Every structure is written in C-alpha cells, then in structure tokens.
C-alpha cells in the first residue's frame, strides 16, 4: 500500500536503519544520504520516509510531503555550499529509475551539461 514501508524496498530498509547509509540530513518526514555511486562531487538522495514508487505518485497523494523533499534538497545544497545544483527525479525504468521508492538526486560541485544523459 502506498505510504507504507515495503519489506523489499532498499530505501525503506535505509529509513528503518536495517541498511547502512551515509546520512547527511534527517527530518521527521525525510532522509538524505550520499549516493553509493556518485555522479558529481555532491550526489545526495533525498527520500520521504513514507514509501511512494515515484514523484508523480507522491505529488498526487501527499503534496506537502513532496514539498518536504524539495525543501530538504535545497538544505542539502546549502550545507554543501553549492551555488548551482540540479535536482533530478527519475520516473520509470526508461528514465533510469532503479529503486522504486521516490528519491530526488541532488547533484552539484561540477559543471552539469544540458541536455543530460
């Protein structure tokens, strides 16, 4: 069920403390941790503690929680003293989503080309 922890979800297991992660920020509703395969000097994932499969599902069900994720993405960028940064939500396998728990990638600390990919 949407919003409920999923036993087979890597990010739910990180939220529960069952899988280690380098956590950089945590709030009542979100967790932010360093990506294990960073694509930039700053590459942090910001996730809601509640399980939603992608950004569209989160925004439809819990717009306030979606705003919490974006607010924390900014806080991550501020803490890493990034003047510019990118926030990416991959939605679907064709877009590169590999973990089916919504997460924002906060990328910065180097030039980021456009278009990506």
């Amino acid at each position: 069920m949407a919003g409920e922890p999923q036993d087979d979800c890597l990010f739910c297991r990180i939220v529960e403390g069952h899988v280690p992660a380098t956590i950089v920020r945590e709030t009542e509703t979100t967790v932010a941790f360093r990506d294990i395969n960073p694509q930039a000097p700053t590459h942090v994932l910001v996730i809601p503690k509640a399980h939603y499969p992608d950004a569209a599902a989160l925004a439809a069900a819990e717009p306030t929680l979606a705003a919490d994720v974006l607010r924390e993405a900014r806080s991550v960028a501020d803490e890493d003293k990034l003047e510019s940064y990118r926030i990416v939500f991959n939605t679907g396998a064709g877009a590169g989503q590999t973990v089916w728990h919504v997460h924002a990638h906060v990328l910065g600390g180097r030039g980021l080309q456009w278009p990506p990919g």
Side-chain angles (χ1 to χ4, degrees):
M1 173 188 292
E4 297 296 319
Q6 305 294 306
D7 292 336
D8 61 344
C9 175
L10 173 63
F11 290 171
C12 287
R13 295 180 49 78
I14 288 172
V15 168
E16 294 169 347
H18 299 302
V19 172
T22 304
I23 295 174
V24 296
R25 292 187 55 81
E26 184 169 2
T27 69
E28 185 177 314
T29 60
T30 65
V31 176
F33 53 93
R34 301 269 174 210
D35 193 293
I36 62 169
N37 185 24
Q39 302 300 306
T42 293
H43 189 168
V44 173
L45 304 179
V46 181
I47 66 170
K49 290 182 176 180
H51 181 91
Y52 290 91
D54 56 43
L58 174 62
E62 298 268 357
T64 301
L65 183 53
D68 289 349
V69 171
L70 288 171
R71 189 171 20 264
E72 283 306 302
R74 178 182 178 171
S75 294
V76 165
D78 288 348
E79 283 187 2
D80 275 20
K81 297 177 177 45
L82 299 176
E83 291 183 24
S84 60
Y85 57 96
R86 184 173 288 160
I87 301 171
V88 177
F89 289 93
N90 296 326
T91 301
Q97 185 176 6
T98 58
V99 178
W100 302 101
H101 183 124
V102 62
H103 52 287
H105 296 259
V106 180
L107 298 151
R110 69 167 174 82
L112 299 169
Q113 303 302 314
W114 194 262

